[in-house]
Structure formats: structure tokens, C-alpha cells
Amino acid sequence: MAAEVDASKAEPQITKTITKTDDGAVVTEVLHHTHLHMVRCISIRQKEELANMILRGLNMKKNKKYFTLTMSCIMICTSVLAAFPLQAYATSGTISETELDSSAGIYLEDKASVMLSNSTNKGNLKSGFKTRSSNTEIALMKAYRDRLAQKGETYKDYDTDLEILSQYIGDDGNLYVTAKETTMLTIAENNVETGYSANHTFVYEQNGNEWELIEDRQLEQTGLLPLYQANQFVYNGSDGSSEADVPIINENESDVPEIEASIIKPDVMEGDKVSTRSGYNYQAMATYLEKYWSYYNPAYRSFAGKGGDCTNFVSQALREGGWADKSGWYKSSDNWWYNETNQTWSWVNVDYLGTFARSSGRCTMLDNVWKLRVGDFLQVKAANATSKTHSMMVSYYSNNTPYFTYHSSNRYRRSMNQVLEDWSGGTYYAYRT
């Protein structure tokens, strides 16, 4: 049975409080009283709607007539809303982003806090939710954090945001909410923000009149672990390292050899790069990467989930920075172009792009990954792989460290230290644009 509304007690409190002032602090007090005396059983979303009505009343030029009319409407609406308890709202199959933040958001922030250098988090969430990070995942995160600290990279702050993508009630009666997580970590040594986005499906079980979080299904690798370790926690499994599905190129097609780059950090670092070809706008490349790293440019087809979008994204940035299309047969590594119906293999495939970059003279090879600068790109062959599997471009450079922004998985300013952890044991090829 719905809770009764005691309007005789609530109305004088609201009138007395609101007529004092219309600043935010008093509005908070009004909502507090409203919650206690008028709408004890309505949902968070309904409370937000009620709050908007109050705010509109406050902005009516402090005209008592309009204010009284607004408050009368509020009282009527409150009586109607109170007839529909939270359980009815819950079984409608939706929750608000506010509710998601107060459950799944807290859970994800608790995990992110493990990466802080002064963290005492042992992986036991304070929120009381049924979902728990496994002891294995937390232990791996701590070891990862400590390895990065030994390389001079620690974190002092974090921020996590969630965006609901879809939600539905399953046949089991549970609520399934698919959401996009964006988590940023602040590097203590230089205040650079580094981050990632990844999709999750959060499973909620009805507990009385509320939804209770019981499971986090990671649909993509998070950035809180090296890629090869994060794979094991992806729901139903994903290695995240595949590329656009085209044949492995015969390297004899290029007369310019590909040189493996060292990963040992030099004692003395080089200065800014000198362009191999005039007319390239490296800052335009970087700006493009950091604009579309998480929300893809709709002007281009996405290959995420279709083999991988990493090289496609690098090609987009190269074009933005001045690379001109080179027409010809789309299967040839001698050509590089994109149009509304098709693109060359060199546009979307790691090996083909590398071959085109060398044979066209648009790039030269670097002998060390730490020499990469803004607008340069790095290609990787994973340990035990037979061909290269990933392309990524430098979008930022600070404190003698390149930072990469890329797709599949989506990463923002991932440091060279992180990248070398992601692809531990791999082979690296550094391209100077």
C-alpha cells in the first residue's frame, strides 16, 4: 500500500523555506523536507521532476500568486505520484543515470581507486553490493600499479562517468543495463590525464522495492590492467587484438624494410622531431585523435567489432593532418584512400598501412619507441603472433614520454609505460610521419 501524503504538515514547511531565498542551499533543504513528508515512496526520477517544478516556482519573479499556484500543482502531483510506489517504477524496466551512478558508479570508482599510489583499498567494496571484483583481478591491478610506479608513473586521482546505452527486463526478471564507462586517472608526476572507455552490462536483481546490483559483465577490456590480462575478465571472452579481416601482406611488396624498434629508454632523449615531408599538421592529427577517441566520427565507417578500428582511426588522423589520398586498386598496398562506399586495405589493416607508409616515402622508421613524437604512429606484433595486430598514434608528449590515443580498445593518452605493459613481449615498429 502506498504511503499516505501528509500535506497539512508539508505545505507550511515548504512555504516558509522557499520564501526565504532561492539559492541552491535552500532548494536542497526544500527537497529534503519534501522527501520526508510528501513523497516518501516515489522514485528518484519522479523526485527530480518534482524538484524542477519547485525551481520553476522559485523563478516566477517571486510573485506570490504564481508561487501559490505552482505549489498547489506540486501538492496535487505529489498525491498522484505517491499512489505509485517504487516497486511499480522498478518493474517498468528502467533506472535513471543517477541511480546507476549510485550503484554501478560507486562500484567502478572503488575499483579505480586501487590504482592510486596511496590506495589502501583491498578490493572489498564499501557499498555492500553483491558484485565484487575477483581477488585475482584486484591482485593483478595492484601488481600493475606497482610495476608502473617502479617506472616512475603513479596516479593521484581518478574520475568515472557512466552513460546508459540500453536497458531491459530479462526472462529471469532481472534488469540488464548496458552502459559506457569512461574512467580517467591523473598521473601524479606531470598531471596528465590518461583514461579509457569500455562498455559493461550491469545486472540488477529486484530486492523488495529496489534494484540491487549483482553482476558486472565487462563487454570490453578496461584500462586498469594490461590488455593481455584484461582479456580474461571480458564477458564471454575477447582478445581485443584482431584487425580488419584482410590477407596477411607479402612484405616483399615493399622495397623499404621494416625495422624493429628497441623499447629501452635512452639516457638522453631527442628533441622535437623534424618532419620527413613538409606540409603535415601534427597538432591537427592530435586534436582529431583526442576529439574522437571515445565517440567515433560518424563521417567514417567503424570497424569496431568487425576486426578492429585501430588502423582506420590512425588513417583518419593522418588524413586530417595532411595525408592525401592515393588512388588505385583497393587491394594494393601502393594505394591509400577512403570514400563513401569503400576503402583500401592499407586504410584499415596494420600490415598494409605500414607497407604503404614505407614504400610511399611518407614515413621513415625509428630505431627506438621512445623517439616517437606527436603525429608518429606505432605498430605492434603481439607475443607469439604471426603478423602485426595493432596501430596507435601519439597525441601528446610530456616529460620525455609519448602518450597514445587510439581505438579498439578505446584509450586516451595511454603512456608508453602502459603500452609496453599492454603488449608485453611483443615486437614494436615505430613510424616517423
Side-chain angles (χ1 to χ4, degrees):
M1 181 177 179
E4 295 182 358
V5 177
D6 191 348
S8 63
K9 294 181 180 179
E11 187 170 4
Q13 283 187 303
I14 291 177
T15 303
K16 178 181 179 181
T17 305
I18 290 181
T19 51
K20 287 181 181 178
T21 178
D22 59 359
D23 60 52
V26 174
V27 169
T28 301
E29 184 181 350
V30 171
L31 296 181
H32 176 69
H33 285 299
T34 302
H35 171 67
L36 288 178
H37 299 289
M38 297 172 59
V39 287
R40 288 173 295 185
C41 62
I42 68 173
S43 70
I44 289 177
R45 178 175 292 174
Q46 292 165 341
K47 292 172 189 172
E48 291 173 348
E49 292 170 354
L50 182 62
N52 288 333
M53 292 185 68
I54 293 175
L55 292 173
R56 285 196 294 272
L58 291 172
N59 290 327
M60 288 182 178
K61 300 180 182 179
K62 299 184 179 179
N63 184 302
K64 186 174 181 181
K65 175 182 177 182
Y66 288 116
F67 174 75
T68 302
L69 177 61
T70 300
M71 294 313 301
S72 298
C73 292
I74 289 174
M75 299 307 299
I76 294 172
C77 292
T78 300
S79 301
V80 174
L81 291 174
F84 300 93
L86 183 60
Q87 182 174 357
Y89 170 73
T91 54
S92 69
T94 61
I95 63 174
S96 69
E97 289 194 355
T98 300
E99 292 167 311
L100 185 69
D101 287 339
S102 65
S103 53
I106 294 175
Y107 159 68
L108 293 176
E109 288 183 347
D110 194 81
K111 285 180 64 176
S113 71
V114 173
M115 297 300 294
L116 302 189
S117 58
N118 60 352
S119 174
T120 58
N121 189 330
K122 297 181 179 180
N124 298 317
L125 300 179
K126 305 182 182 78
S127 58
F129 301 135
K130 291 182 181 178
T131 296
R132 293 289 184 270
S133 298
S134 70
N135 292 334
T136 300
E137 186 177 14
I138 294 298
L140 290 173
M141 287 171 58
K142 290 179 177 179
Y144 176 49
R145 175 197 66 197
D146 293 344
R147 289 196 304 273
L148 290 173
Q150 291 174 0
K151 298 176 181 179
E153 181 169 326
T154 61
Y155 306 103
K156 66 178 183 179
D157 199 7
Y158 63 88
D159 181 68
T160 296
D161 291 317
L162 280 173
E163 175 188 356
I164 294 177
L165 303 178
S166 65
Q167 50 184 313
Y168 68 94
I169 296 287
D171 293 338
D172 55 4
N174 290 336
L175 175 63
Y176 294 82
V177 183
T178 298
K180 179 178 185 176
E181 171 201 4
T182 301
T183 291
M184 308 298 288
L185 296 168
T186 303
I187 299 175
E189 288 73 23
N190 56 10
N191 291 319
V192 172
E193 279 200 330
T194 176
Y196 67 90
S197 67
N199 290 347
H200 302 248
T201 293
F202 298 104
V203 184
Y204 287 81
E205 180 180 70
Q206 192 169 352
N207 182 7
N209 290 336
E210 297 180 353
W211 289 115
E212 184 175 7
L213 178 64
I214 62 171
E215 184 182 0
D216 169 22
R217 296 180 178 179
Q218 298 180 23
L219 304 183
E220 299 173 308
Q221 300 89 344
T222 74
L224 301 178
L225 282 173
L227 186 65
Y228 72 95
Q229 291 181 334
N231 292 333
Q232 64 186 288
F233 301 104
V234 174
Y235 187 70
N236 284 338
S238 170
D239 65 9
S241 62
S242 57
E243 243 313 303
D245 187 17
V246 299
I248 298 174
I249 197 168
N250 180 355
E251 289 299 336
N252 293 331
E253 292 184 25
S254 174
D255 294 331
V256 182
E258 189 167 42
I259 301 172
E260 179 180 346
S262 170
I263 63 173
I264 299 174
K265 191 171 186 178
D267 293 331
V268 179
M269 301 295 290
E270 292 185 348
D272 291 339
K273 71 178 184 180
V274 178
S275 173
T276 57
R277 181 174 294 192
S278 62
Y280 294 159
N281 187 333
Y282 301 119
Q283 189 53 52
M285 297 179 188
T287 299
Y288 184 89
L289 293 169
E290 297 191 353
K291 179 178 181 180
Y292 293 110
W293 74 277
S294 183
Y295 293 92
Y296 292 17
N297 186 349
Y300 290 95
R301 292 178 288 279
S302 168
F303 294 87
K306 304 173 185 177
D309 199 63
C310 62
T311 303
N312 178 38
F313 192 43
V314 168
S315 290
Q316 293 171 30
L318 289 169
R319 175 189 265 182
E320 188 72 14
W323 275 35
D325 288 8
K326 186 176 184 298
S327 61
W329 192 41
Y330 74 99
K331 293 184 179 181
S332 172
S333 60
D334 289 333
N335 308 313
W336 183 84
W337 51 262
Y338 178 101
N339 62 33
E340 61 184 14
T341 60
N342 200 4
Q343 66 283 317
T344 56
W345 286 358
S346 59
W347 185 279
V348 295
N349 179 265
V350 180
D351 282 308
Y352 276 74
L353 175 61
T355 299
F356 174 78
R358 299 191 310 277
S359 62
S360 65
R362 297 189 183 187
C363 288
T364 56
M365 301 298 299
L366 298 174
D367 61 3
N368 192 296
V369 298
W370 293 93
K371 293 181 179 180
L372 291 163
R373 298 293 185 271
V374 173
D376 295 338
F377 65 89
L378 180 66
Q379 296 191 324
V380 185
K381 181 168 67 176
N384 303 317
T386 58
S387 63
K388 293 182 293 183
T389 52
H390 189 54
S391 301
M392 64 195 108
M393 181 177 280
V394 179
S395 70
Y396 191 74
Y397 187 84
S398 175
N399 286 18
N400 297 323
T401 301
Y403 292 83
F404 301 84
T405 299
Y406 54 89
H407 284 177
S408 302
S409 300
N410 300 333
R411 301 291 184 262
Y412 175 82
R413 292 188 181 180
R414 199 152 177 88
S415 71
M416 179 62 75
N417 292 318
Q418 293 173 304
V419 167
L420 294 178
E421 285 280 342
D422 282 335
W423 303 91
S424 179
T427 305
Y428 300 83
Y429 304 93
Y431 283 78
R432 167 61 47 83
T433 57

